[in-house]
Amino acid sequence: MTMTETSTSADLRATAIELAGDGLQLLVGGRLVDSIEGATLPVFDPSTGEEVASVPRAALSDVDAAVTAARAAVKNGWGRLNAKDREAAMRRIAALLDRDREQLALLEALDTGKPIAMSRAVDVPLAIDTFDYYSGWPTKLFGDTIPSGGPDMHVYTRLEPVGVTTQIIPWNFPIFDAAGRIAMGMAAGTPVILKPAEVTPLSAMYLARLVAEADLPEGVVSILPGYGHDAGQRLVEHPGIDAVGFTGSTSVGRKLAATAGSLLKPISLELGGKSPNVLFADCDVEAAIESAVSGIYLNAGQVCSAGSRLLVQDDIYDEVVTALAAKADGMRVGRAFDDGTEMGPVVSAAQLQKVQEYVGYGHEDGRVLTSSGDLPTDGYFAAPTIVADLPRDSRVITEEIFGPVLAVERFSTFDDAVELANGGAYGLASAVWSENGRTATRFAHALEAGTVWVNCFHQYDIAVPWGGVKASGFGRERGKESLGHLTTPKVVWNAL
Ligand code: NAD
């Protein structure tokens, strides 16, 4: 593992820190403001562990102000714009994101620790694509005319916006998630109050500036970085919020589902995962190994659908495990702005501690095949790790780690593999590798998961629905399915 700090990387980091300190604000009902009570959040650089900025934080009074503005906007905000104008507003935001793509990429790399090459090539383009994609929807969302009630009755449905929604997101893909949640709300014509994670507020706060510049009706978008137990909980419980969208851990999702249930608020939950990536002996082994490496180490394993369980059939098990360990040991782990960094740090000291705890379980329960690496001593760095020979009930196999730790399991038969893959609590994503189309298709159909990749991994598109089953939640984000949560069909029986 190597790390080189060039003057370029130092310059990039300095620019990112300057941007982070450049007066970022909350967005309350479309207006950029500081917290009413002067609350702030510290921002840490995961690549060094240093505190690099302090930004306004939404406290309870800021939440209340945003809800008041959003309630007024249910009738007087989006209601004043027709569908084509909402589409134009989304295209304006996409153009502003495109104009400032470098600033956003720098802030994202600073805040999350992900390599700048990745935030430039993946996170920011995905955010732009999201507004582009949803900008096509408002004119295509409409109800039906239903031939019921005889010739003297006109029966039709109107797809009405659900009202005010709050959207609560995690820290692993902050700008992409923020863009998705706001764009979906704009497409459905419902005011959105977004709460980014407290650990990574920067890119969403920069987006707040762009949204303010896009000249939307008052009240329709608020962006409130704040603590979950404080601003987040208030948003879910607030009587002025009609529906909740949440992406985050299964434990918090469970709690929010209980609260929303008791208040009879619709909620959609994108929760954790422990995705099985299954290699049959007749697969393209080289391609499967390459894909398994990026499947687990992309974003330092902090991907809800990371391929964190690798199930390998007997005949190719030894070959796969040896090749994987060599690749993991050869990865360039480094700081976000260093040239050639393939994997950055994890997002926070707490996340690092969690990863280290599970590596400890790996040593206790199984065989760790990788070296612990020559890692930077400052920052939140974890080594790409592979653990084999684990008992089936090891926590390394059964629990989501959300870090660069891969559990490798061995199987013999098709049925064994189905049982192992479906044996976990989660059901977000999974993959199967086989050159036999029948095996691959039968396996894909047998898997309990929201998404199955066949001979590929980590394929995403904003047009394709995303979500899980079992402990990975319910509801779908992205694609046209996402708009179902944000609209309600109202039936009108009109006697002629
Ligand atoms: P988290 O559940 O701790 O926090 C997620 C968000 O919820 C944050 O904004 C946090 O402030 C907020 N929150 C926390 N407690 C709250 C409360 N009581 N009321 C309201 N809001 C509250 O999760 P995290 O650690 O930020 O993110 C990692 C988790 O997210 C992992 O489990 C990962 O699998 C999951 N995730 C899932 C998907 C998916 O699409 N299924 C995508 C990304 C991440």
Coordinates of all heavy atoms in Angstrom, one line a residue, residues 444-490:
A444 N -31.0 -16.9 -9.8 CA -31.5 -15.5 -9.7 C -33.0 -15.5 -9.2 O -33.3 -14.7 -8.3 CB -31.4 -14.8 -11.0
H445 N -33.8 -16.5 -9.7 CA -35.2 -16.5 -9.3 C -35.3 -17.0 -7.9 O -36.3 -16.7 -7.2 CB -36.0 -17.3 -10.3 CG -36.1 -16.7 -11.7 ND1 -36.9 -17.1 -12.7 CD2 -35.4 -15.6 -12.2 CE1 -36.8 -16.4 -13.7 NE2 -35.9 -15.4 -13.5
A446 N -34.4 -17.8 -7.4 CA -34.5 -18.4 -6.1 C -34.0 -17.4 -5.0 O -34.3 -17.6 -3.8 CB -33.7 -19.7 -6.0
L447 N -33.2 -16.4 -5.4 CA -32.7 -15.5 -4.4 C -33.7 -14.6 -3.8 O -34.6 -14.1 -4.5 CB -31.6 -14.7 -5.0 CG -30.2 -15.4 -5.1 CD1 -29.3 -14.6 -6.1 CD2 -29.5 -15.5 -3.8
E448 N -33.6 -14.4 -2.5 CA -34.5 -13.4 -1.8 C -33.8 -12.1 -1.7 O -32.9 -11.9 -0.9 CB -34.8 -13.9 -0.4 CG -35.6 -15.2 -0.4 CD -35.6 -15.9 1.0 OE1 -34.9 -15.4 1.9 OE2 -36.2 -17.0 1.1
A449 N -34.1 -11.2 -2.7 CA -33.3 -10.0 -2.8 C -34.1 -9.0 -3.7 O -34.9 -9.4 -4.6 CB -31.9 -10.2 -3.4
G450 N -33.9 -7.7 -3.4 CA -34.5 -6.7 -4.3 C -33.9 -6.6 -5.6 O -34.5 -6.2 -6.6
T451 N -32.6 -6.9 -5.7 CA -31.8 -6.8 -7.0 C -31.0 -8.1 -7.1 O -30.3 -8.5 -6.1 CB -30.9 -5.6 -7.1 OG1 -31.8 -4.4 -7.1 CG2 -30.0 -5.6 -8.3
V452 N -30.9 -8.7 -8.3 CA -29.9 -9.8 -8.5 C -29.1 -9.4 -9.8 O -29.7 -9.0 -10.8 CB -30.7 -11.1 -8.8 CG1 -29.6 -12.2 -9.1 CG2 -31.6 -11.5 -7.7
W453 N -27.8 -9.5 -9.6 CA -26.9 -9.2 -10.8 C -26.5 -10.6 -11.3 O -26.0 -11.4 -10.5 CB -25.7 -8.4 -10.4 CG -26.1 -7.0 -10.0 CD1 -26.6 -6.1 -10.9 CD2 -25.9 -6.3 -8.8 NE1 -26.8 -4.9 -10.2 CE2 -26.4 -5.0 -8.9 CE3 -25.4 -6.7 -7.5 CZ2 -26.3 -4.0 -7.9 CZ3 -25.3 -5.8 -6.5 CH2 -25.8 -4.4 -6.7
V454 N -26.6 -10.8 -12.6 CA -26.1 -12.1 -13.2 C -24.9 -11.8 -14.0 O -24.9 -11.0 -14.9 CB -27.2 -12.7 -14.1 CG1 -26.7 -14.0 -14.7 CG2 -28.5 -13.0 -13.3
N455 N -23.8 -12.4 -13.6 CA -22.5 -12.2 -14.3 C -22.1 -10.7 -14.3 O -21.5 -10.3 -15.3 CB -22.5 -12.8 -15.7 CG -22.6 -14.4 -15.6 OD1 -22.0 -15.0 -14.7 ND2 -23.3 -14.9 -16.5
C456 N -22.4 -10.0 -13.3 CA -22.0 -8.6 -13.1 C -22.2 -8.2 -11.7 O -22.7 -9.1 -10.9 CB -22.7 -7.7 -14.1 SG -24.5 -7.7 -13.9
F457 N -21.8 -7.0 -11.3 CA -22.0 -6.6 -9.9 C -22.1 -5.1 -9.9 O -21.6 -4.4 -10.8 CB -20.9 -7.0 -9.0 CG -21.3 -7.2 -7.6 CD1 -21.8 -8.4 -7.1 CD2 -21.3 -6.1 -6.7 CE1 -22.3 -8.5 -5.8 CE2 -21.7 -6.2 -5.4 CZ -22.2 -7.4 -4.9
H458 N -22.8 -4.5 -8.9 CA -22.9 -3.0 -8.8 C -23.4 -2.3 -10.0 O -22.8 -1.3 -10.4 CB -21.5 -2.5 -8.4 CG -21.3 -2.5 -6.9 ND1 -22.2 -2.6 -5.9 CD2 -20.1 -2.5 -6.2 CE1 -21.7 -2.6 -4.7 NE2 -20.4 -2.6 -4.9
Q459 N -24.3 -2.9 -10.7 CA -24.9 -2.2 -11.8 C -26.1 -1.3 -11.3 O -26.9 -1.9 -10.5 CB -25.5 -3.1 -12.9 CG -24.4 -4.0 -13.5 CD -23.4 -3.2 -14.3 OE1 -23.8 -2.4 -15.1 NE2 -22.1 -3.4 -14.0
Y460 N -26.1 0.0 -11.5 CA -27.1 0.9 -11.1 C -27.5 1.8 -12.2 O -26.7 2.2 -13.0 CB -26.6 1.8 -9.9 CG -26.1 1.0 -8.7 CD1 -24.7 0.9 -8.6 CD2 -27.0 0.5 -7.8 CE1 -24.2 0.2 -7.5 CE2 -26.5 -0.1 -6.7 CZ -25.1 -0.3 -6.5 OH -24.6 -1.0 -5.5
D461 N -28.8 2.2 -12.1 CA -29.2 3.3 -13.0 C -30.4 4.0 -12.3 O -31.2 3.3 -11.7 CB -29.6 2.7 -14.3 CG -29.8 3.8 -15.4 OD1 -30.8 4.5 -15.3 OD2 -28.8 4.0 -16.2
I462 N -30.4 5.2 -12.4 CA -31.4 6.0 -11.7 C -32.8 5.6 -12.2 O -33.8 5.7 -11.5 CB -31.2 7.5 -11.8 CG1 -32.1 8.3 -10.9 CG2 -31.3 8.0 -13.3 CD1 -31.9 8.1 -9.5
A463 N -32.9 5.0 -13.5 CA -34.2 4.6 -14.0 C -34.6 3.3 -13.5 O -35.8 2.9 -13.8 CB -34.0 4.6 -15.6
V464 N -33.8 2.6 -12.8 CA -34.1 1.2 -12.3 C -34.5 1.2 -10.8 O -33.7 1.7 -10.0 CB -32.9 0.3 -12.6 CG1 -33.1 -1.1 -12.1 CG2 -32.5 0.3 -14.1
P465 N -35.6 0.6 -10.5 CA -36.0 0.6 -9.0 C -35.0 0.0 -8.1 O -34.4 -1.0 -8.5 CB -37.3 -0.1 -9.0 CG -37.4 -0.9 -10.3 CD -36.6 -0.1 -11.3
W466 N -34.9 0.6 -6.9 CA -33.9 0.1 -6.0 C -34.5 -0.1 -4.6 O -35.2 0.8 -4.1 CB -32.7 1.1 -5.9 CG -31.7 0.7 -4.9 CD1 -31.4 1.2 -3.7 CD2 -30.7 -0.4 -5.1 NE1 -30.4 0.5 -3.0 CE2 -29.9 -0.4 -3.9 CE3 -30.4 -1.2 -6.1 CZ2 -28.9 -1.4 -3.8 CZ3 -29.4 -2.2 -6.0 CH2 -28.7 -2.2 -4.8
G467 N -34.3 -1.2 -3.9 CA -34.8 -1.4 -2.6 C -34.7 -2.9 -2.2 O -34.2 -3.7 -3.0
G468 N -35.1 -3.2 -1.0 CA -34.8 -4.6 -0.5 C -36.1 -5.3 0.0 O -37.2 -4.8 -0.1
V469 N -35.8 -6.5 0.5 CA -36.8 -7.3 1.2 C -36.2 -7.7 2.5 O -35.1 -7.4 2.8 CB -37.2 -8.6 0.3 CG1 -37.8 -8.2 -1.0 CG2 -36.0 -9.5 0.1
K470 N -37.0 -8.3 3.4 CA -36.6 -8.8 4.7 C -36.0 -7.6 5.5 O -36.5 -6.5 5.4 CB -35.6 -9.9 4.6 CG -36.2 -11.1 3.8 CD -35.5 -12.4 3.7 CE -34.1 -12.6 4.0 NZ -33.5 -13.9 3.6
A471 N -34.9 -7.8 6.2 CA -34.3 -6.7 7.0 C -33.7 -5.6 6.2 O -33.2 -4.6 6.8 CB -33.3 -7.3 8.0
S472 N -33.7 -5.7 4.9 CA -33.2 -4.5 4.1 C -34.3 -3.5 3.8 O -34.1 -2.5 3.1 CB -32.6 -5.1 2.7 OG -31.5 -5.9 3.0
G473 N -35.5 -3.7 4.3 CA -36.6 -2.7 4.2 C -37.7 -3.0 3.2 O -37.8 -4.1 2.6
F474 N -38.4 -1.9 2.9 CA -39.5 -2.0 1.9 C -39.7 -0.7 1.2 O -39.3 0.3 1.8 CB -40.8 -2.6 2.5 CG -41.2 -1.9 3.8 CD1 -41.8 -0.6 3.8 CD2 -40.9 -2.5 5.0 CE1 -42.1 0.0 5.0 CE2 -41.2 -1.9 6.2 CZ -41.8 -0.6 6.2
G475 N -40.3 -0.8 0.1 CA -40.5 0.5 -0.8 C -39.3 0.5 -1.8 O -38.3 -0.2 -1.6
R476 N -39.5 1.3 -2.8 CA -38.4 1.4 -3.8 C -38.1 2.8 -4.1 O -39.0 3.7 -4.2 CB -38.9 0.7 -5.1 CG -39.1 -0.8 -5.0 CD -37.7 -1.5 -4.9 NE -37.8 -2.9 -4.7 CZ -37.9 -3.6 -3.5 NH1 -37.9 -2.9 -2.4 NH2 -37.9 -4.9 -3.5
E477 N -36.8 3.1 -4.2 CA -36.3 4.4 -4.6 C -35.9 4.2 -6.1 O -35.6 3.1 -6.5 CB -35.2 4.9 -3.8 CG -35.4 4.9 -2.3 CD -36.6 5.8 -1.9 OE1 -36.8 6.8 -2.6 OE2 -37.3 5.4 -1.0
R478 N -35.8 5.4 -6.8 CA -35.4 5.4 -8.2 C -36.4 4.8 -9.1 O -37.3 4.0 -8.7 CB -34.0 4.7 -8.4 CG -33.0 5.2 -7.5 CD -31.7 4.4 -7.6 NE -30.9 4.6 -6.4 CZ -29.8 3.9 -6.1 NH1 -29.4 2.9 -6.9 NH2 -29.2 4.1 -5.0
G479 N -36.3 5.1 -10.4 CA -37.3 4.6 -11.3 C -38.7 5.1 -11.1 O -38.9 5.9 -10.1
K480 N -39.6 4.6 -11.8 CA -41.0 5.2 -11.7 C -41.6 4.7 -10.4 O -42.5 5.3 -9.8 CB -41.9 4.8 -12.9 CG -42.3 3.4 -13.0 CD -43.3 3.3 -14.2 CE -44.0 2.0 -14.4 NZ -43.3 0.8 -14.6
E481 N -41.1 3.5 -9.8 CA -41.7 3.0 -8.6 C -41.5 4.0 -7.4 O -42.4 4.1 -6.5 CB -41.0 1.7 -8.2 CG -41.5 0.5 -8.9 CD -41.0 0.4 -10.3 OE1 -40.2 1.3 -10.7 OE2 -41.4 -0.5 -11.0
S482 N -40.5 4.8 -7.4 CA -40.2 5.7 -6.3 C -41.3 6.8 -6.2 O -41.6 7.3 -5.2 CB -38.9 6.5 -6.5 OG -38.9 7.2 -7.7
L483 N -42.0 7.1 -7.4 CA -43.0 8.1 -7.3 C -44.3 7.7 -6.7 O -45.1 8.5 -6.3 CB -43.2 8.7 -8.8 CG -41.9 9.2 -9.3 CD1 -42.0 9.5 -10.8 CD2 -41.4 10.5 -8.6
G484 N -44.4 6.3 -6.6 CA -45.6 5.8 -6.0 C -45.7 6.2 -4.5 O -46.8 6.3 -3.9
H485 N -44.6 6.3 -3.8 CA -44.6 6.7 -2.4 C -45.0 8.2 -2.2 O -45.4 8.6 -1.1 CB -43.2 6.7 -1.7 CG -42.5 5.4 -1.9 ND1 -43.1 4.2 -1.4 CD2 -41.3 5.0 -2.4 CE1 -42.3 3.2 -1.7 NE2 -41.2 3.7 -2.3
L486 N -44.8 8.9 -3.2 CA -45.0 10.4 -3.1 C -46.2 10.9 -3.7 O -46.5 12.1 -3.7 CB -43.7 11.1 -3.7 CG -42.4 10.7 -3.1 CD1 -41.3 11.4 -3.7 CD2 -42.4 11.0 -1.6
T487 N -47.0 10.0 -4.2 CA -48.3 10.4 -4.8 C -49.4 9.5 -4.3 O -49.1 8.3 -3.9 CB -48.3 10.3 -6.3 OG1 -47.8 9.0 -6.7 CG2 -47.4 11.3 -7.0
T488 N -50.6 10.0 -4.2 CA -51.8 9.2 -3.8 C -52.8 9.2 -4.9 O -53.2 10.3 -5.4 CB -52.4 9.8 -2.5 OG1 -51.4 10.0 -1.6 CG2 -53.5 8.9 -1.9
P489 N -53.4 8.1 -5.3 CA -54.4 8.1 -6.3 C -55.7 8.5 -5.7 O -56.2 7.8 -4.8 CB -54.5 6.7 -6.9 CG -53.8 5.9 -5.9 CD -53.0 6.7 -5.0
K490 N -56.3 9.6 -6.1 CA -57.7 10.0 -5.6 C -58.7 9.6 -6.7 O -58.5 10.0 -7.9 CB -57.8 11.4 -5.3 CG -59.2 11.9 -4.9 CD -59.3 13.4 -4.8 CE -58.8 13.9 -3.5 NZ -58.9 15.4 -3.5

